[in-house]
Amino acid sequence: MTTLHAYLTEINKAVRNEDAKLLRRLFRLDSDAYYIAGQLGSRAVPVAEINRVVGIWGDIVASFIQALVYHNKGDWVAACKEFRERHGK
């Protein structure tokens, strides 16, 4: 299991190195983000921290983690809505 900061560092590394394979792995449902979402439970996703670490990728990462929080709770409709409404336009 990893920390949020370590996960965000991996996102930065993948973006910096244009490593699509690593990005794909980091955005899988069984990635470390899933465990981070579980650790957050019902706490708010720390958007400010995420934005500070990953910059322009922050909104995507925060939305992904929030969708996983909903997924962990079994609220699949909210999980789908979270990502679709932020990024489906």
Side-chain angles (χ1 to χ4, degrees):
M1 207 171 316
T2 190
T3 65
L4 175 61
H5 187 76
Y7 176 74
L8 298 174
T9 299
E10 284 295 298
I11 295 278
N12 274 333
K13 177 181 163 187
V15 170
R16 189 176 51 252
N17 295 330
E18 297 179 5
D19 188 341
K21 278 185 164 182
L22 178 55
L23 272 175
R24 185 173 52 239
R25 185 172 53 83
L26 291 168
F27 282 99
R28 289 175 45 116
L29 286 179
D30 62 350
S31 71
D32 288 338
Y34 183 82
Y35 299 107
I36 292 164
Q39 291 171 346
L40 288 172
S42 60
R43 290 178 294 164
V45 173
V47 176
E49 178 183 354
I50 291 171
N51 286 334
R52 190 182 78 249
V53 177
V54 295
I56 62 171
W57 280 79
D59 190 44
I60 294 169
V61 173
S63 182
F64 178 63
I65 292 173
Q66 182 62 60
L68 290 175
V69 167
Y70 290 132
H71 182 271
N72 284 343
K73 292 179 182 179
D75 192 346
W76 296 282
V77 172
C80 290
K81 257 179 103 172
E82 168 66 30
F83 211 73
R84 186 188 72 226
E85 289 180 2
R86 283 199 192 195
H87 306 290
K89 297 178 182 174

